[in-house]
Amino acid sequence: MKQLLALLFSTGVLIVAGCSNVYSQEDGYRMAVINQGFPVPKNAYEVKPEDCTDEISKAAKYKLQGIGDQDGNPPAHYLETIEEWGWTELVDERRGTIHFYEKNGKIMSLNIHQDVFDVFEMTSNPES
C-alpha cells in the first residue's frame, strides 16, 4: 500500500512540475490579448497589467518563468517569432529592456524582465 501511495504521489509531482509555466519555444505562441497579431508564448499567463498612459492605449502583463534573464534579455527565438509574425523592430527606439515593434502603422512595445513581461499597444510613436 505504501508503495502504491508513493507511486501516486511521485506521479502527481511530475504532472504538476510538467505543467508549470516555463518558457519553451516548443510550446509555441498565441495571439496577445490586446493585439490579435502580436505573439506571446502559449504557456504565459496573464496578471494585472500596468495602467495605461497617454502613450499607451492597451496593456497586458504576463508571467512566465525563463522569459527573461536577470538583465531582461529575452530568448532569441521569441524575438525571431515576433519578426516572423510580420513585426519590424524599431531598433533605434529601444530603451534598455523595452523593445518597440511596428506593423501596419501599429506600434507595440515589449518590456521583458526576469519571469515577467509586459506588452503595450502604443497610441503614438515611441519618441520621447
Side-chain angles (χ1 to χ4, degrees), residues 21-98:
N21 292 29
V22 177
Y23 175 78
S24 170
Q25 68 186 41
E26 289 82 21
D27 289 335
Y29 300 88
R30 61 184 165 93
M31 294 178 258
V33 173
I34 62 168
N35 185 299
Q36 297 293 308
F38 197 84
V40 295
K42 275 187 183 174
N43 53 351
Y45 63 95
E46 283 183 80
V47 295
K48 186 177 184 302
E50 303 295 323
D51 292 331
C52 292
T53 65
D54 290 342
E55 287 186 332
I56 299 169
S57 63
K58 298 178 187 174
K61 185 179 207 78
Y62 299 90
K63 286 194 98 169
L64 181 61
Q65 291 181 12
I67 192 64
D69 63 16
Q70 291 177 352
D71 298 324
N73 297 311
H77 186 266
Y78 182 33
L79 299 181
E80 292 166 7
T81 299
I82 294 170
E83 292 191 3
E84 287 172 6
W85 282 38
W87 294 89
T88 302
E89 183 170 8
L90 305 173
V91 178
D92 293 340
E93 301 298 334
R94 188 182 304 169
R95 300 178 194 156
T97 61
I98 304 172

Side-chain angles (χ1 to χ4, degrees), residues 113-125:
H113 297 282
Q114 189 172 4
D115 301 332
V116 66
F117 65 102
D118 297 287
V119 177
F120 301 111
E121 186 172 296
M122 309 304 289
T123 56
S124 61
N125 201 339

